[in-house]
Amino acid sequence: RDAQVFAAIAYEGVSDKPGEVHPGQFREHLEAMKKAGYVPITLKDIEGLMHENKPLPRKAVLLTFDHARKTSYFNVHSMLRKAGWNAVMFLWTKPVIEHDSAALLWPYVRSMVRSHIWELGAQSHDGFSRIPIGPKGTLGNFMTSPKWLADERRFESLEEFERRLTQ
């Protein structure tokens, strides 16, 4: 372990759906990374690098999956286990709590943690909600845009923006 850098590969979704990575393509990605000598790392490894300057292995890679998608979990779990790799599932909790049919249910989330293949990360709860971002009713993403405060005819301040994101 002597590296100070890593690659992070984020998969929004792994499924047969258009616009997502096909499970067979993910298998090819995983096999290519293994063949090229890449080494999976964990969030704990990154925390050690950032806070304690602990070096990482050369060719370190962090695999992440977004939105707590059921299809991603079911399509890649056995491939990760077989390869001896781990990954992070970032949880968008709103669809989980609302029992969205595309989101993982809490029993699967608990099973993921117990598997030691998966780590969980916080993605957001309202982070993908649409909010007003301009006086003409334009909508933008909750986490990336200052909110337009129509009653006050102004954008929220940086302090208000930061407070909204941390509540």
Side-chain angles (χ1 to χ4, degrees):
R1 289 184 168 245
D2 61 359
Q4 297 292 314
V5 298
F6 65 95
I9 301 175
Y11 290 91
E12 185 169 348
V14 177
S15 75
D16 294 331
K17 295 177 186 173
E20 294 193 359
V21 174
H22 187 275
Q25 190 176 24
F26 176 78
R27 179 178 282 112
E28 291 173 10
H29 294 176
L30 193 57
E31 289 170 1
M33 287 185 287
K34 285 184 67 170
K35 185 176 180 179
Y38 283 91
V39 177
I41 58 171
T42 66
L43 292 174
K44 194 156 195 78
D45 291 321
I46 294 169
E47 182 180 34
L49 174 68
M50 302 301 285
H51 297 292
E52 302 169 33
N53 204 30
K54 288 184 178 178
L56 299 171
R58 291 183 187 189
K59 293 191 171 188
V61 64
L62 180 72
L63 288 181
T64 72
F65 297 82
D66 291 338
H67 308 306
R69 290 199 179 156
K70 191 184 308 181
T71 54
S72 294
Y73 170 65
F74 287 118
N75 283 318
V76 306
H77 180 78
S78 63
M79 288 185 247
L80 292 171
R81 186 182 69 241
K82 184 177 178 184
W85 276 48
N86 56 281
V88 179
M89 177 66 77
F90 284 104
L91 294 180
W92 179 18
T93 55
K94 189 172 189 173
V96 175
I97 289 169
E98 292 176 352
H99 302 285
D100 182 316
S101 63
L104 287 164
L105 300 174
W106 288 119
Y108 293 117
V109 173
R110 285 189 288 277
S111 177
M112 290 171 75
V113 172
R114 285 192 293 267
S115 76
H116 300 290
I117 294 169
W118 294 92
E119 291 180 285
L120 300 179
Q123 189 167 23
S124 76
H125 183 76
D126 282 322
F128 299 97
S129 299
R130 307 289 280 167
I131 60 166
I133 62 167
K136 295 183 181 181
T138 306
L139 297 177
N141 289 327
F142 180 91
M143 292 199 59
T144 60
S145 306
K147 185 176 184 179
W148 174 253
L149 305 172
D151 293 346
E152 301 174 39
R153 301 190 48 74
R154 68 174 181 89
F155 291 100
E156 66 186 344
S157 68
L158 180 58
E159 293 79 21
E160 290 167 322
F161 178 71
E162 289 174 348
R163 189 169 43 252
R164 179 169 54 86
L165 294 183
T166 58
Q167 290 178 346

